[in-house]
Amino acid sequence: MTGTAGRGLAALTLAACALVTAVGCASSDSPSASAAATSPRAFSTDPTKGGPCRATMNHITDAGKRITSDAKDKAKATTDLQAAGDRFTSDADTIKNPEAKKAAQQLGSIYHSLADNAKHNRNPDSAKLQTQVQGAIAALSSCAAAE
């Protein structure tokens, strides 16, 4: 169940990667932003309950929706990516679980990097990004399930 949530939520971040590619340099091998629309939320049956890990998982979903909706406007998309990075960095301060804390910090770095890439019309390394995101989401998902 955690793996399914991780793969689905990783699609949200990969949607951000696709967004960077769409508003920046075009690339034919970038992931599709439409994959973000069907993300499973297996980590929680009630997203209003839980602790900081679950809140971060909810922020991932919210960021994906916002980024996807603003994908056609480079300025808005870049702002969304930066705001998501700031949010995940802030979330990391509230998380006590060391693995999940590191994962939230990593997501903050990833989104800040994506915002910089969008601003400067650069393509991110999709394969590396996917591996980083899946690891971070798995750690946060496990922590959220335990809350």
Side-chain angles (χ1 to χ4, degrees), residues 56 88-89 91-92 95 100-109 140:
T56 301
F88 298 133
T89 301
D91 286 351
I95 296 173
K101 181 184 225 40
K102 182 178 175 186
Q105 290 168 336
Q106 183 174 7
L107 284 176
S109 282
L140 285 164

Side-chain angles (χ1 to χ4, degrees), residues 5-6 10 32 34-35 39-40 44 50 52 61 78 80 82 101 110 115 122 124 131:
S32 170
S34 64
S39 170
S44 168
T61 302
T78 302
D80 291 344
Q82 185 65 41
K101 181 184 225 40
I110 289 168
R122 293 187 304 245
T131 301

Side-chain angles (χ1 to χ4, degrees), residues 9-24 30-36 60 63-69 71 77-78 80-82 84-85 88 107 110-115 117-118 122-124 126 129 133:
L9 291 171
L12 293 174
T13 300
L14 291 176
C17 179
L19 165 72
V20 170
T21 301
V23 298
S30 62
S32 170
S34 64
I60 292 168
K65 288 176 184 176
R66 198 170 314 113
I67 290 164
T68 301
S69 72
T78 302
D80 291 344
L81 289 165
Q82 185 65 41
F88 298 133
L107 284 176
I110 289 168
Y111 274 84
H112 285 132
S113 176
L114 288 170
N117 286 341
R122 293 187 304 245
N123 287 329
S126 297
L129 181 67
V133 169

Side-chain angles (χ1 to χ4, degrees), residues 41-93:
R41 304 259 321 247
F43 66 90
S44 168
T45 54
D46 184 355
T48 62
K49 299 198 183 299
C53 291
R54 191 163 298 178
T56 301
M57 295 295 284
N58 291 334
H59 295 153
I60 292 168
T61 302
D62 295 342
K65 288 176 184 176
R66 198 170 314 113
I67 290 164
T68 301
S69 72
D70 290 341
K72 294 183 185 215
D73 183 335
K74 180 180 177 179
K76 281 185 181 180
T78 302
T79 300
D80 291 344
L81 289 165
Q82 185 65 41
D86 293 346
R87 182 74 216 187
F88 298 133
T89 301
S90 174
D91 286 351
D93 293 338

